[in-house]
Amino acid sequence: MCFKKFISLITFKKKKAVPPLKVVAWENDRLNYKQFSGKFNNIIKTIDQSFTIISLEGYDGWGKTFFLKEWVKELKQQNEIAAYYNAWDINALDQPLPSFLNFLFEDLFASYEVKRSVIQQFKNINQELFSLNTLGKLISKSPLAMLSVLLDATKEADRKDIGSVLRELNTLQRREENIKDFKTQLAKVVNRIRKNKNIYIMVDNLDVCRPKFVVDFLESIKYMLDVEGLVFIISVSKGKSNVHKAISTILGPNFDLKSFTDLSLHLPKQPIETFTKELFENIKLPKKSKNLIVDSFIFYAESLSLSLKTIEYCAKKIKLCLLNCIKEELPDPNLFSFSVILQSINIDIYEELDLLYQKALEKIESEYKSLILAQINGQEEWEKLKTSLEAAFAEKESKINKAIKDIIF
């Protein structure tokens, strides 16, 4: 067969583009958080395309990051524009706004075919523009503030060259003009992308940033990015939030998170049973023994209000401990679960059990008994735990006494 005829028999098929994997929101939702995204969607979608800052308050170590990321996926599936931003980013450690703008244009806006020249223009803006001091903010917010500046300048005139004072005022005025121009240009880009929809930006991990960074970030958003259609949702730890502390420390006791936000959403704790059982799914133990350990662990995790992070940590330790156990040597489920948790949340008392047992038991009673008794079947569980602790100590004492007798006799 000639070569030409051979070639004519070969059919060349055009390669089909491989479609991207479909991202499904809430696929691994073990805490039933999806129900809250539905409620929150009803709230945020009523915002009438105005600039808005919302705080999402949840408990530390209880899945705020998971919730924000899944919420972004869900909004995208609903053809909304949404993005997740990690404030604890190495690029954001120095100045928050330039890094955030880089994220805005490189990660979010770039997918909407914004010209590269526009992106570069924003990235090259003088960083001095973002170093807003109190005076610059006052001028941008209040027409009367200029009068105050002029009065202060007059007071300084006899101690400072008047030309120098005027040059400082001129610099402030130029900065104000630059800020207005920046907002105008940003609004044009935002409006071109959003097409009469809001853009939802989820900000995570602000709690772990330096106090000054926290305040600079919030001020930058409120005073520099107050553009119609931008909705910021900022996760904050409930109770012991570093964000609350940073604001009051740097700005004074008269300021709090509400000074920056327009409304607040609350993410409550959820039952941990499904989440916890999945962590123990791959443990190779007889079913009955496994269930006793898992049920006991869930009881103490709920009694002592462990965070999801602590539960994951303890579950890993339990798995490692059980790797070399044989059926006949399985530990007492009650004592075993409590001991692993105690070692993770209060290492001092845990170590004291080996040295000063009676004193350690008194501390356990003082700190944890009331929490255990508050649960269903708490009295029964507490009695079992106390009995197990006493039995373990008695066994240890017996071994020590036997060793002493062997030496003496």
Side-chain angles (χ1 to χ4, degrees):
M1 184 185 294
C2 70
F3 183 72
K4 286 184 179 181
K5 190 173 181 181
F6 175 75
I7 291 294
S8 67
L9 294 175
I10 300 175
T11 56
F12 292 92
K13 293 183 179 180
K14 186 178 180 181
K15 286 186 178 180
K16 292 182 180 179
V18 179
L21 292 173
K22 188 177 181 180
V23 178
V24 180
W26 309 111
E27 194 172 15
N28 298 307
D29 183 16
R30 306 297 181 234
L31 293 164
N32 196 23
Y33 272 157
K34 183 179 179 180
Q35 60 174 313
F36 300 108
S37 72
K39 294 175 183 177
F40 296 162
N41 284 341
N42 291 336
I43 295 172
I44 65 173
K45 289 182 182 180
T46 61
I47 297 171
D48 56 351
Q49 300 182 37
S50 59
F51 170 76
T52 308
I53 302 178
I54 301 170
S55 65
L56 174 69
E57 300 200 21
Y59 294 90
D60 191 38
W62 272 82
K64 293 192 300 297
T65 295
F66 170 80
F67 180 82
L68 288 179
K69 288 182 176 180
E70 295 302 309
W71 194 10
V72 166
K73 291 179 189 176
E74 181 182 337
L75 287 168
K76 286 181 175 179
Q77 287 172 2
Q78 296 170 359
N79 294 319
E80 301 288 347
I81 303 172
Y84 170 88
Y85 177 71
N86 182 8
W88 181 245
D89 187 301
I90 191 67
N91 296 316
L93 293 181
D94 184 23
Q95 291 198 14
L97 190 54
S99 176
F100 181 76
L101 287 175
N102 184 66
F103 152 79
L104 210 59
F105 283 94
E106 290 289 354
D107 293 3
L108 180 59
F109 292 173
S111 60
Y112 290 88
E113 298 182 354
V114 179
K115 290 181 180 178
R116 298 299 303 178
S117 58
V118 175
I119 294 177
Q120 197 59 44
Q121 178 185 345
F122 274 85
K123 288 175 69 175
N124 290 339
I125 291 177
N126 189 334
Q127 289 192 8
E128 182 63 24
L129 178 65
F130 309 135
S131 304
L132 296 176
N133 54 31
T134 305
L135 194 57
K137 282 181 290 186
L138 281 174
I139 292 173
S140 70
K141 300 303 287 183
S142 169
L144 295 176
M146 185 58 78
L147 176 61
S148 172
V149 174
L150 289 170
L151 289 173
D152 289 341
T154 304
K155 292 176 185 177
E156 291 288 325
D158 58 340
R159 287 175 289 171
K160 200 172 184 180
D161 174 63
I162 189 66
S164 175
V165 174
L166 291 174
R167 282 194 296 274
E168 288 175 14
L169 286 174
N170 188 39
T171 300
L172 286 170
Q173 286 174 317
R174 284 203 312 274
R175 180 182 295 176
E176 174 65 9
E177 290 170 3
N178 288 339
I179 292 170
K180 286 180 179 177
D181 182 57
F182 168 80
K183 287 184 181 179
T184 301
Q185 298 303 321
L186 180 61
K188 287 180 181 178
V189 177
V190 169
N191 286 330
R192 189 185 311 165
I193 292 168
R194 69 189 187 91
K195 296 177 181 176
N196 295 321
K197 286 186 173 185
N198 286 324
I199 296 175
Y200 304 103
I201 300 171
M202 315 292 181
V203 179
D204 194 16
N205 288 326
L206 194 59
D207 259 307
V208 298
C209 297
R210 292 176 291 108
K212 186 178 182 302
F213 180 97
V214 170
V215 175
D216 285 349
F217 186 84
L218 291 171
E219 287 183 334
S220 296
I221 290 175
K222 190 168 183 68
Y223 297 111
M224 289 292 297
L225 302 180
D226 51 334
V227 171
E228 186 178 84
L230 288 182
V231 176
F232 291 89
I233 299 167
I234 301 173
S235 76
V236 180
S237 293
K238 191 174 178 64
K240 53 181 182 179
S241 170
N242 187 44
V243 171
H244 291 284
K245 186 178 178 181
I247 293 170
S248 60
T249 300
I250 293 179
L251 299 179
N254 294 328
F255 292 85
D256 57 22
L257 188 58
K258 291 178 182 176
S259 305
F260 296 95
T261 58
D262 301 291
L263 61 104
S264 176
L265 302 175
H266 174 57
L267 188 66
K269 291 181 180 179
Q270 288 293 92
I272 62 168
E273 188 171 339
T274 303
F275 173 82
T276 306
K277 284 184 175 180
E278 186 166 295
L279 294 176
F280 289 96
E281 196 173 353
N282 296 324
I283 291 182
K284 295 179 180 178
L285 286 176
K287 186 176 180 181
K288 185 178 179 182
S289 302
K290 179 177 176 178
N291 288 343
L292 286 172
I293 291 173
V294 173
D295 290 345
S296 178
F297 179 81
I298 290 174
F299 173 82
Y300 288 116
E302 290 178 335
S303 300
L304 307 183
S305 299
L306 301 190
S307 70
L308 300 184
K309 286 182 180 178
T310 306
I311 289 171
E312 284 185 297
Y313 175 77
C314 291
K316 287 177 183 177
K317 290 196 74 171
I318 287 175
K319 283 197 225 178
L320 289 172
C321 291
L322 293 175
L323 278 177
N324 297 319
C325 280
I326 59 176
K327 187 177 179 181
E328 291 75 18
E329 296 178 346
L330 285 175
D332 173 86
N334 196 273
L335 179 61
F336 178 49
S337 298
F338 180 79
S339 299
V340 171
I341 290 174
L342 182 65
Q343 187 186 37
S344 303
I345 64 174
N346 198 326
I347 187 65
D348 293 334
I349 293 181
Y350 176 82
E351 291 182 345
E352 207 164 12
L353 281 170
D354 263 344
L355 304 172
L356 300 166
Y357 166 77
Q358 199 58 45
K359 189 177 178 183
L361 184 58
E362 288 172 6
K363 288 183 179 179
I364 289 172
E365 286 199 37
S366 173
E367 294 203 28
Y368 305 119
K369 181 180 178 180
S370 61
L371 298 174
I372 292 172
L373 293 179
Q375 303 297 311
I376 298 173
N377 300 325
Q379 182 67 46
E380 181 185 345
E381 292 296 327
W382 169 253
E383 293 300 332
K384 285 199 301 188
L385 175 62
K386 190 174 179 181
T387 301
S388 298
L389 283 166
E390 289 172 347
F393 178 70
E395 184 183 348
K396 181 184 174 186
E397 285 286 284
S398 175
K399 287 180 179 178
I400 293 172
N401 290 335
K402 185 178 184 302
I404 293 172
K405 287 178 182 178
D406 287 344
I407 293 171
I408 294 174
F409 301 104

